[in-house]
Amino acid sequence: MNRNITYGTVTVLLSLILYPAALAMVIIADTLLGQAELLNELLFGSRRELVITILSDWASALPIATPLWFLVRGLTRYFPSRWVHAFVIPAGMIATALSVVPPHLPMIFGALLLWAGIFNLFFHPLWQRGNS
């Protein structure tokens, strides 16, 4: 019982850090490929407003990020994890790449899917060991 609580806590925490990981990827891409708007705001703008904006965006992303994470986790319970990872990670990469070409999808959606697949790939063996 105690192990299940621990694995459940880790699962919830990973769903909560999914958005910050995706946001870091978006910030790096924006800095390398774009105008580095967030970096400019950090250096020359109000840090307080920037933090409020990021926290607000994080709260807005939770209704999407959390179910997405649990969907990916659920798929690996019912399908071979190799298949799920072979689908989710490339789909996240493609969706992320579609942000730089028309129709310019928001990069955060692809990044969320990509990081959900990456987190699941790294932590899936942990849950497998815990359930055996």
Side-chain angles (χ1 to χ4, degrees):
M1 183 67 179
N2 191 16
R3 264 192 181 163
N4 289 336
I5 292 172
T6 304
Y7 294 128
T9 304
V10 170
T11 299
V12 170
L13 289 176
L14 284 172
S15 73
L16 293 176
I17 65 168
L18 192 59
Y19 178 76
L23 182 63
M25 185 174 145
V26 170
I27 291 169
I28 291 169
D30 180 50
T31 302
L32 295 175
L33 303 173
Q35 294 94 12
E37 292 175 21
L38 192 78
L39 189 59
N40 285 333
E41 185 66 30
L42 180 64
L43 295 175
F44 305 115
S46 169
R47 289 189 176 101
R48 181 174 175 257
E49 287 181 28
L50 182 63
V51 168
I52 291 170
T53 301
I54 289 173
L55 291 176
S56 172
D57 288 349
W58 189 2
S60 298
L62 282 177
I64 296 168
T66 304
L68 177 69
W69 168 250
F70 284 104
L71 174 70
V72 171
R73 282 296 310 138
L75 288 174
T76 56
R77 290 186 65 115
Y78 297 108
F79 296 103
S81 62
R82 276 179 271 144
W83 293 1
V84 174
H85 297 137
F87 173 75
V88 170
I89 293 173
M93 293 170 79
I94 290 168
T96 302
L98 287 176
S99 68
V100 294
V101 296
H104 299 291
L105 298 173
M107 186 181 282
I108 196 72
F109 295 131
L112 283 171
L113 185 60
L114 177 64
W115 280 104
I118 291 170
F119 284 164
N120 193 47
L121 177 68
F122 285 123
F123 289 97
H124 184 70
L126 172 76
W127 286 291
Q128 291 299 97
R129 273 183 276 158
N131 291 332
S132 57

